[in-house]
Amino acid sequence: MSENLRVVENATCTFCGCVCDDMILTVDDTEKRIVKAKNACVLGRAWFAEHTIEENAPAAMISGKPASIADAVAEAARILVEARFPITYGLSDTTCEAQRQAVAITDMIRGNIDTTTSVCHGPSGLAFQGIGESTMTLGEVKNRADLVVYWGGNPAEAHPRHFGRYAVTPKGMFTPNGKKDRTVVLVDVRRTSSTPAANIFVQLKPGKDFELLWALRARVKGREIKANIEEITGVSPAVIEDLVQRMKSCRYGVLFFGMGLTMTRGRHFNSGALLALATDLNEFTHFVAKPVRGHGNVTGADNVVSWQTGYPFGVNFSRGYPRFNPGEFTTVDTLSRGDADAAMIIASDPASNFPKAAIAHLRRIPVISLDTKVTSTSTLARVAFRTSTYGINTGGTVYRMDDVPITLRKAFDSPFPDDETILRALKEKVQELLRLRMPRGAKSAFELPLSA
Ligand code: SF4
């Protein structure tokens, strides 16, 4: 090995919610890049290969011009403190330590905080609160599950190591023969590259997830189902019966569900029906359900926002205490309605994927962005910070999709600060400005004098 090359073992890939922590990275310290990522899937290899350092890029910009970090922090703090309806959004591709600072800032400025969960598994977040979650870790699935059902997802393309590392082929304590000890069922509206991994493929009509889940629930409880169920769902009574028998008689069953379930007709009713099915099945055997999450630390965002506010996303502090109301306090809505008058976007690019009306409003208001690269959002931002990449240049904590926290190990240093460092500095500046605004004798900058 060349003397410029160094190996970092047990590193973590933060590209998707699998958060594989068995990476063996070969780092070229001269070029400041990762030249090999052993154990990574095709997506992970691209993630590591793409993260090179643009040494000459400015660490901060104000109105498109390079600025010092101190000036950019001061300008960002001024924008946030002067806004009447500031929003914070993103957070699924940064560390829990940074997410925690973002919640604190939003609380101080009585703003609105939301994460990318609101545009992926937001309906599941609602269903968890309504139905509850029969949960597990992926380690348990590997060691125990003999029936694995994927509903509305395509892990072979979106989470390539989910099959091999956790749920289909690995050999576990009670599944010593790997795939031979498991039955894998895939429920989807069409065949995908995940279908060949399944023993049973159930093709249902688009938008009929709720109806099929309810029919399964009815049969699990021994109730009759409609004679025309095949006409409604595209799935025959014989297939439903076979699935029900397998679910009731397995030793340990798991329902993994994706955005094909949560973002189609029915949304949180679909997620709720699936969670209720898992609960029903626990009368007969051990059955769990878990969403398959996309971004590397979107599960951390749910956890951090939940343990700091009591709610997972779409949280508003304008009354001085947290309120949760998806549809009102979710970012697509606060932007599309024109409520927000300033936005802090962290590790996300809504300007490239939000609805037209939301993007148009984002262009009208002052935006602060923190990102590792130039994006559509950072380009329109009044204040743009260039930050280092979590898991590559920055340590910290992320949560795997099964809510297991993983400690990151950095591969090489970046000249750019990490999100947490910027947000801590911003929090201090916001505190300072709020103290200056505080009326004499008041306990809070938002408290009006008694005479007002
Ligand atoms: S499955 Fe996801 S976390 Fe694992 S190596 Fe592939 S992209 Fe990275």
Side-chain angles (χ1 to χ4, degrees):
M1 185 182 296
S2 145
E3 59 184 27
N4 297 330
L5 298 183
R6 182 168 50 85
V7 172
V8 179
E9 296 200 351
N10 301 319
T12 301
C13 173
T14 51
F15 182 75
C16 87
C18 283
V19 191
C20 300
D21 56 352
D22 59 348
M23 299 291 118
I24 302 174
L25 305 178
T26 306
V27 182
D28 183 331
D29 278 324
T30 312
E31 299 265 316
K32 281 202 176 275
R33 66 187 183 93
I34 292 161
V35 292
K36 192 173 168 198
K38 194 174 166 199
N39 294 338
C41 69
V42 60
L43 299 178
R45 285 200 297 275
W47 162 257
F48 287 116
E50 278 166 17
H51 274 87
T52 49
I53 300 284
E54 278 181 61
E55 296 271 6
N56 298 327
M61 313 257 278
I62 301 176
S63 301
K65 296 196 173 67
S68 71
I69 290 179
D71 286 351
V73 166
E75 176 64 0
R78 186 194 63 74
I79 289 169
L80 292 177
V81 168
E82 288 181 2
R84 292 174 64 84
F85 197 127
I87 62 168
T88 301
Y89 176 75
L91 298 168
S92 53
D93 272 321
T94 190
T95 60
C96 293
E97 289 79 359
Q99 291 164 348
R100 183 178 177 163
Q101 298 305 320
V103 179
I105 294 170
T106 314
D107 187 358
M108 278 176 196
I109 56 175
R110 295 201 173 186
N112 194 97
I113 190 157
D114 185 35
T115 75
T116 60
T117 285
S118 67
V119 291
C120 61
H121 271 280
S124 308
L126 286 175
F128 290 143
Q129 299 205 346
I131 309 288
E133 185 184 15
S134 173
T135 186
M136 55 35 177
T137 66
L138 290 170
E140 276 180 73
V141 171
K142 173 184 165 180
N143 284 307
R144 295 176 185 276
D146 58 344
L147 178 65
V148 181
V149 182
Y150 286 95
W151 195 301
N154 181 6
E157 283 180 13
H159 304 83
R161 293 186 80 209
H162 202 275
F163 287 165
R165 191 156 194 249
Y166 304 114
V168 175
T169 52
K171 294 177 180 170
M173 196 182 294
F174 300 104
T175 50
N177 303 305
K179 189 165 182 222
K180 287 194 192 122
D181 288 334
R182 298 188 180 94
T183 301
V184 179
V185 181
L186 200 90
V187 184
D188 211 339
V189 295
R190 62 185 169 88
R191 289 186 164 270
T192 65
S193 44
S194 295
T195 316
N199 302 94
I200 300 168
F201 174 58
V202 178
Q203 186 162 6
L204 84 162
K205 287 185 180 174
K208 295 298 175 187
D209 301 76
F210 181 84
E211 287 81 350
L212 181 57
L213 285 161
W214 224 250
L216 288 166
R217 287 195 71 202
R219 289 309 301 139
V220 165
K221 287 176 176 282
R223 306 259 165 82
E224 292 304 315
I225 52 174
K226 284 186 174 177
N228 64 343
I229 191 71
E230 184 166 4
E231 202 183 305
I232 297 169
T233 63
V235 182
S236 72
V239 170
I240 292 174
E241 208 51 43
D242 176 59
L243 201 49
V244 166
Q245 290 316 316
R246 288 178 188 276
M247 286 172 153
K248 285 167 74 172
S249 61
C250 71
R251 209 175 50 223
Y252 186 115
V254 54
L255 279 157
F256 286 116
F257 56 106
M259 282 169 63
L261 181 78
T262 65
M263 279 295 165
T264 49
R265 182 177 162 269
R267 296 188 182 228
H268 59 284
F269 286 106
N270 293 345
S271 305
L274 183 136
L275 295 173
L277 174 62
T279 305
D280 295 343
L281 285 160
N282 276 285
E283 279 185 33
F284 305 93
T285 184
H286 190 78
F287 227 97
V288 293
K290 202 82 197 152
V292 182
R293 306 303 303 274
H295 292 281
N297 198 25
V298 68
T299 307
D302 287 359
N303 275 279
V304 171
V305 178
S306 293
W307 55 250
Q308 293 212 331
T309 74
Y311 307 108
F313 64 97
V315 182
N316 184 280
F317 289 102
S318 63
R319 289 190 185 163
Y321 55 87
R323 288 182 295 153
F324 174 57
N325 198 11
E328 184 181 8
F329 300 139
T330 32
T331 306
V332 167
D333 307 282
T334 54
L335 287 174
S336 300
R337 279 196 310 264
D339 292 345
D341 59 352
M344 176 162 68
I345 312 292
I346 301 162
S348 184
D349 188 17
S352 71
N353 54 39
F354 265 24
K356 226 168 154 186
I359 296 174
H361 190 65
L362 208 49
R363 291 187 187 285
R364 286 193 286 269
I365 60 175
V367 171
I368 299 149
S369 93
L370 280 78
D371 213 306
T372 58
K373 56 194 175 307
V374 175
T375 64
S376 303
T377 304
S378 73
T379 307
L380 63 77
R382 171 86 58 86
V383 181
F385 295 98
R386 174 76 70 111
T387 52
S388 57
T389 304
Y390 76 139
I392 294 181
N393 317 117
T394 306
T397 312
V398 298
Y399 278 68
R400 204 167 62 186
M401 65 171 77
D402 55 349
D403 298 289
V404 169
I406 308 270
T407 303
L408 301 178
R409 176 171 295 184
K410 72 175 174 181
F412 60 93
D413 287 328
S414 161
F416 305 113
D418 58 54
D419 292 331
E420 186 195 358
T421 303
I422 295 290
L423 290 169
R424 274 188 186 279
L426 187 53
K427 186 176 77 175
E428 276 171 29
K429 197 72 195 168
V430 163
Q431 257 169 339
E432 192 184 311
L433 294 181
L434 287 175
R435 252 185 251 119
L436 291 175
R437 274 175 42 145
M438 206 185 297
R440 193 187 291 249
K443 292 195 183 99
S444 137
F446 293 94
E447 197 176 307
L448 291 171
L450 287 174
S451 57

